[in-house]
DNA sequence: CCAGATTTGTGGTCAGGCCAATAAACCTGT
DNA sequence: ACAGGTTTATTGGCCTGACCACAAATCTGG
């Protein structure tokens, strides 16, 4: 690419495309308040002729707008201006991170940062209802530990989801969810080990107790220990796998440098 | 997902849409490495018939993929698998956020968590080269403070980018970048104030010094103070705008509860 | 008055066509 | 033989018109 010579700084002339213009106009209309949330857009055929474009072009724009979360298209009904939700806002993150999945160590570090703070926030903000939801999930998780690995994993995920909820920040919750999904395969390998399941249960217990007593510091410490343990499992697994694939002695990417060094703080 | 009623576990029947299926297939192909970056996709007509769909449907999918940054469409040439860049993906959403005070607070909180840890990691891991890059960016930022708001903003962004780089976690860096992009509009409003620019410069100075002396604790504190200040500016601005739009006296959503309460730790 | 059948409106998809931009193959004068 | 412009094939951008599937509104018989 290397756009441009080093002498003239001309923006490459790009003929504006209909779809983009439509998209822009739609965006402006929503931002100007001309189209409040919930407003129903005119039918495609009508809107297309009003804008002076074909229905096909308009549809490409509408589809794009829908994927970006601006509108919701309901077959047989019409298109409606949608509310921006935390899911939609943070969704693009997952698209970007998808290209980095081989870099498990870095994702792990990011996750540990966020989960630690999340646990701390949950300890501060949790309500009684939050607490009982977390407790219930934890108990179900313990029950399934010796029975079904997949079910255990689901309750593991759910536990963290409930903690996220208690932390009261939907954007944070969604981000955590994405990171956990990215690491789901790694976690699955850990959960297959009996030792992995029992240590996870113990860690969740500590986290729960800390949240119950509103002890922010303890919650953060418990979460950090948990994540360190999981990271240890995962990285051992990963390293083992990597060594099977790469030449022996080859460095596993992203794991050579100090990982989780933010451990030694506070 | 688990998000059902507790009685019936019916997933709402949704007729899968061609475009989404195509999109999914494309995504998988890219993630599986079947389509390395730079690969040229078959012509639309050919690909459409190969997939057994109409060219119109395929086009909607390709257009969406292009907007998400997965591919690049060059008229007269073809479609090519592209490296996803976060800026392009996020840009449209940042405007929407201006009117979403609830999530601005939440995103701010998420950003503060990550930037604080990033500063700490940068203090631990930075090299001399990192340091000089950060220093240079900071100096340029100071030079432009009194001249050009847009340029100032760019250097502001760049400063944080350099700190991210020093922290040595690309995934963390990308996430931070996305969050900053999301808040770009808000930051722009802050940077327009002379006071906003001067306090930002002072804060960056503190962060730089802490990183220079490898003082992790100081780096974290400096970053936290900085973010708290920015959050104060942003939320004041947003609140003002929100009150102009919403009915007077209406509570600004999401700001009533403790924000940035993780401040009082360590 | 109401339940079921029918009509109407709407998005989802398709087929085929023309135009515009690009690149590759082709001339053409030197 | 070759540098230059010119033509041609390929490809994406856009349009028209049609049909299908689904949802709501309407009609109809009891």
């Amino acid at each position: 690419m290397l756009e441009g010579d080093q002498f003239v700084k001309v923006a490459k002339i790009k003929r504006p495309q209909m779809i983009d213009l439509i998209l822009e106009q739609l965006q402006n209309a929503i931002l100007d308040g001309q189209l409040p949330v919930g407003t129903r857009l005119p039918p495609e055929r009508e809107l297309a002729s009003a804008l002076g474009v074909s229905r096909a072009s308009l549809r490409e724009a509408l589809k794009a707008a829908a994927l970006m979360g601006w509108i919701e298209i309901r077959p047989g009904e019409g298109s409606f201006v949608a509310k921006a939700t935390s899911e939609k806002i943070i969704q693009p993150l997952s698209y970007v991170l998808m290209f980095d999945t081989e870099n498990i160590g870095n994702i792990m570090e990011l996750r540990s940062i966020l989960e630690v703070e999340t646990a701390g926030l949950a300890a501060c903000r949790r309500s009684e209802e939050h607490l009982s939801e977390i407790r219930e999930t934890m108990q179900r998780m313990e029950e399934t530990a010796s029975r079904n690995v997949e079910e255990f994993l689901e309750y593991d995920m759910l536990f963290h989801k409930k903690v996220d909820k208690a932390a009261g920040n939907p954007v944070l919750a969604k981000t955590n969810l994405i990171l956990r999904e990215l690491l789901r395969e790694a976690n699955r390998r850990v959960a297959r080990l009996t030792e992995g399941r029992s240590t996870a249960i113990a860690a969740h217990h500590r986290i729960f107790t800390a949240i119950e007593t509103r002890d922010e510091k303890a919650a953060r410490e418990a979460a950090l220990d948990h994540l360190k343990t999981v990271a240890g499992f995962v990285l051992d697994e990963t390293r083992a796998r990597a060594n099977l694939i790469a030449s022996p002695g080859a460095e596993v990417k992203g794991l050579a440098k100090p990982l989780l060094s933010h451990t030694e703080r506070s």
Side-chain angles (χ1 to χ4, degrees), chain A:
Chain A
M1 278 291 109
L2 257 290
E3 40 257 12
D5 345 312
Q6 56 265 56
F7 299 108
V8 242
K9 198 192 271 187
V10 278
K12 208 193 287 182
I13 297 171
K14 54 177 178 185
R15 198 150 136 288
Q17 297 198 187
M18 267 304 178
I19 284 88
D20 297 318
L21 294 180
I22 299 172
L23 221 42
E24 192 178 334
Q25 199 158 335
L26 218 179
Q27 175 184 324
N28 288 334
I30 293 178
L31 292 183
D32 293 352
Q34 300 169 25
L35 299 175
V37 171
T39 307
R40 181 184 159 173
L41 269 54
E44 291 183 352
R45 294 164 177 83
E46 200 176 312
L47 188 53
S49 79
L51 290 172
V53 300
S54 74
R55 200 185 149 208
S57 297
L58 177 67
R59 274 187 58 79
E60 290 190 25
L62 289 181
K63 183 70 187 178
L67 284 176
M68 288 197 265
W70 301 355
I71 66 175
E72 184 188 353
I73 302 179
R74 296 204 281 266
E77 292 184 66
S79 303
F80 303 81
V81 177
K83 182 177 183 295
T85 70
S86 57
E87 293 226 354
K88 294 167 187 165
I89 290 173
I90 219 66
Q91 180 64 33
L93 174 62
S94 68
Y95 295 140
V96 175
L97 288 185
M98 272 180 205
F99 292 87
D100 279 314
T101 43
E102 77 277 359
N103 211 336
I104 292 185
N106 287 326
I107 296 178
M108 208 72 200
E109 183 170 85
L110 176 56
R111 183 190 167 195
S112 75
I113 291 174
L114 291 180
E115 296 263 14
V116 165
E117 301 298 330
T118 303
L121 289 177
C124 295
R125 299 176 181 172
R126 61 98 174 158
S127 68
E128 290 307 317
E129 196 177 352
H130 290 144
L131 193 67
S132 59
E133 282 187 18
I134 297 174
R135 182 190 294 114
E136 190 190 351
T137 307
M138 186 178 62
Q139 287 167 350
R140 284 173 189 263
M141 190 180 75
E142 293 176 15
E143 290 164 17
T144 59
S146 55
R147 286 209 314 270
N148 185 323
V149 172
E150 282 305 316
E151 204 177 344
F152 176 82
L153 254 182
E154 281 306 316
Y155 280 116
D156 188 350
M157 291 280 192
L158 194 57
F159 175 88
H160 289 288
K161 239 184 198 171
K162 296 296 187 188
V163 174
D164 289 345
K165 189 176 169 191
N169 184 334
V171 179
L172 177 58
K174 178 61 180 176
T175 309
N176 282 336
L177 181 61
I178 290 175
L179 293 175
R180 284 196 299 270
E181 285 296 331
L182 285 174
L183 296 169
R184 179 189 279 273
E185 264 313 311
N187 281 332
R188 196 190 311 277
R189 291 203 300 276
V190 174
R192 274 204 262 272
L193 307 174
T194 306
E195 190 194 350
R197 291 197 298 278
S198 59
T199 54
I201 288 177
H204 286 199
H205 246 297
R206 274 187 65 197
I207 296 175
F208 168 76
T209 304
I211 292 177
E212 184 181 28
T213 56
R214 297 187 190 278
D215 187 339
E216 180 187 353
K217 190 160 175 292
R220 293 164 45 82
E221 279 172 8
L224 183 55
D225 283 348
H226 181 207
L227 269 299
K228 272 164 64 180
T229 309
V230 174
F233 274 109
V234 170
L235 296 182
D236 282 348
E237 284 273 337
T238 307
R239 203 186 314 264
R241 289 173 61 89
N243 283 343
L244 290 179
I245 299 170
S247 59
E251 234 175 47
V252 179
K253 272 174 70 180
L255 303 183
K257 281 291 160 187
L259 178 74
L260 297 181
S261 79
H262 68 293
T263 299
E264 303 81 4
R265 66 133 173 274
S266 85

